[in-house]
Amino acid sequence: MLDSLATDPTPSLISPDMLPYQSRTTGPLKLGVLASGNGSNFEIMIEAIASGQLHAQVQVVIYNNPGAKVAARAERWGVPAILLNHREYDRREYLDAAIVEVLQRYEVEWVVMAGWMRIVTPVLLDAFENRAINIHPSLLPSFPGVRAIEQALAAGVKITGCTVHLVVPEVDAGPILMQAAVPVMPDDTPESLHARVQVMEHRILPRAIALAASRTSS
Ligand code: GRF
């Protein structure tokens, strides 16, 4: 077993309710993505849509850090990208109100927080009740909050992973939609472990979006 773990770069276990990949809703899901940085999870959603695996369209990407790579990725795919810099808002609620305004203007039905490094408030969650999804790089409820990868390494766990869940006001605490497990290797650094966790994030995120939408639409 250990040998196979050592040779397979992405050994994994995904939670069993992952099977639906294609949403059962009629029209494409209208997604709005919130992202703070790199945007690889955004791009994986776009690729799943482009290849016909996820029946959805990304209406808009909102990002909060000027120069975030996700903006360039959005531009490449022709997706509108709107900068809402949190530094320009005195309160979280004011930022969230601006986010809601953009999401509604772009007729978004579901919000996907894909590397959104801001705490959200009821202003956003009330507008998208049970329609906001987050991806987190640990097996929740272990290691919520920031630096989840570093937390896992510091705790010495042998298995960590990623979780897609519905968003509730408590940070990283909503109902779990899907998880994938990733072993921690003895020589892992935060970077190497995060890279393997991200491979699994990219596998489960499109499936979890379809799963969440199919549960509320059937
Ligand atoms: C992911 O690891 C996600 O779980 C965490 O932030 C990271 C975002 O990665 N919340 P990317 O920007 O999608 O590449």
Side-chain angles (χ1 to χ4, degrees):
M1 184 63 178
L2 279 177
D3 281 346
S4 71
L5 287 180
T7 51
D8 180 350
T10 58
S12 62
L13 182 68
I14 299 180
S15 51
D17 62 355
M18 64 167 287
L19 291 176
Y21 195 79
Q22 189 71 28
S23 160
R24 291 193 293 271
T25 52
T26 45
L29 294 173
K30 295 179 179 173
L31 306 178
V33 175
L34 307 186
S36 294
N38 182 29
S40 69
N41 280 290
F42 156 73
E43 195 148 12
I44 219 73
M45 276 181 261
I46 291 283
E47 286 172 3
I49 292 166
S51 65
Q53 292 173 294
L54 179 63
H55 189 42
Q57 56 194 42
V58 178
Q59 307 284 99
V60 64
V61 174
I62 296 172
Y63 63 106
N64 63 308
N65 289 317
K69 273 192 187 169
V70 70
R73 293 187 197 254
E75 191 180 346
R76 271 206 307 278
W77 285 93
V79 175
I82 309 277
L83 172 64
L84 294 178
N85 188 334
H86 64 276
R87 299 161 190 87
E88 294 171 7
Y89 297 84
D90 290 338
R91 300 179 55 157
R92 292 186 195 281
E93 287 80 2
Y94 299 159
L95 171 65
D96 282 1
I99 291 171
V100 169
E101 189 277 318
V102 170
L103 294 174
Q104 289 177 341
R105 178 151 43 93
Y106 281 88
E107 301 182 338
V108 166
E109 298 166 336
W110 280 82
V111 183
V112 182
M113 298 177 194
W116 181 246
M117 305 306 284
R118 307 295 307 165
I119 293 173
V120 296
T121 70
V123 171
L124 177 60
L125 297 180
D126 289 350
F128 290 90
E129 196 177 357
N130 290 323
R131 287 176 180 269
I133 291 171
N134 182 48
I135 185 154
H136 182 77
S138 77
L139 291 176
L140 293 172
S142 293
F143 315 128
V146 294
R147 306 183 77 80
I149 299 285
E150 286 84 350
Q151 289 185 57
L153 285 173
V157 294
K158 302 305 175 200
I159 295 175
T160 185
C162 51
T163 302
V164 181
H165 63 96
L166 291 177
V167 182
V168 296
E170 300 76 41
V171 174
D172 300 326
I176 291 171
L177 291 163
M178 201 169 284
Q179 293 185 304
V182 174
V184 180
M185 301 304 185
D187 57 351
D188 259 333
T189 62
E191 293 71 29
S192 66
L193 180 55
H194 193 208
R196 280 204 320 286
V197 168
Q198 285 224 286
V199 170
M200 299 314 297
E201 290 186 343
H202 298 164
R203 274 191 214 170
I204 67 171
L205 182 59
R207 293 174 166 90
I209 293 167
L211 175 66
S214 70
R215 281 183 182 170
T216 55
S217 65
S218 50

